[in-house]
Amino acid sequence: MAAGELPDEVRVVYVSPLKALSADIHKNLAEPRREMRRIAEEMGSPPVGITAAVRSGDTPQGERAAMLRSPPHILVTTPESLYLLLTAERSRQMLKTARVVIVDEITRCSSRGGGAHLALSLERLDHVCGRRLQRVGLSATQKPIEEVARFLVGSGKSAAPSLTLP
């Protein structure tokens, strides 16, 4: 790996409640990534190669396998697919390098929106990573803000090594 290159590992997990929205997020990440490469090249720096991929129920098996061999820096997924990723050993290994988890449309995912399943997955993700990930919640409206904040913050306990979750 050359100086300034990023290792092939997941750094950001972006959770979106809908497959179609996940695909849009992935598409919307393409232009900023191209722009960063262009600016780096103009400055005489090595090109910035930030990768992104979508993992949902619609992701073909070949793309899923490629993702395990060469993980994207930004993984865009749905709550259901995140749950499935956390159940398989190889995908847990891919996720363990994550530093940030972004929950889009958090009001749809919070406890009012039936988010107990996602809350459990966020805690499991912390456990897999062996540390508390930075959590970012996105939504046009976040009401009641206290409830959304409680959902996003989770249990507040660090990932316990004695916890045995698959």
Side-chain angles (χ1 to χ4, degrees):
M1 180 169 49
E5 283 187 26
L6 296 172
D8 288 339
E9 60 187 28
V10 173
R11 291 300 180 101
V12 176
V13 177
Y14 193 112
V15 183
S16 175
L18 304 169
K19 287 187 277 188
L21 188 54
S22 293
D24 286 347
I25 296 300
H26 181 255
K27 189 174 18 173
N28 291 340
L29 287 170
E31 183 58 33
R33 292 184 302 125
R34 277 193 295 275
E35 187 68 10
M36 286 188 287
R37 266 192 304 279
R38 184 189 64 73
I39 290 170
E41 288 171 357
E42 284 178 2
M43 296 174 64
S45 299
V48 178
I50 298 174
T51 58
V54 174
R55 172 57 165 85
S56 72
D58 293 341
T59 305
Q61 185 57 40
E63 287 181 30
R64 293 177 190 191
M67 208 177 292
L68 293 173
R69 287 189 303 276
S70 182
H73 300 115
I74 304 169
L75 177 64
V76 182
T77 190
T78 61
E80 297 80 13
S81 289
L82 177 60
Y83 173 81
L84 293 174
L85 287 165
L86 289 163
T87 61
E89 178 60 32
R90 288 188 66 205
S91 47
R92 279 196 309 270
Q93 289 301 312
M94 176 182 72
L95 292 170
K96 74 178 186 175
T97 55
R99 301 281 187 263
V100 176
V101 60
I102 299 170
V103 181
D104 199 357
E105 296 298 334
I106 192 162
T107 52
R108 291 191 69 185
C109 299
S110 69
S111 57
R112 273 212 174 148
H117 193 264
L118 178 58
L120 178 59
S121 291
L122 292 174
E123 294 298 319
R124 289 180 69 203
L125 182 59
D126 282 349
H127 177 73
V128 164
C129 295
R131 68 190 158 285
R132 182 86 170 156
L133 273 68
Q134 178 181 1
R135 295 181 182 185
V136 177
L138 304 176
S139 185
T141 59
Q142 296 185 14
K143 292 181 182 176
I145 190 74
E146 296 80 14
E147 184 177 321
V148 173
R150 271 192 306 278
F151 172 80
L152 186 61
V153 171
S155 72
K157 298 176 183 172
S158 59
S162 62
L163 189 59
T164 54
L165 294 174

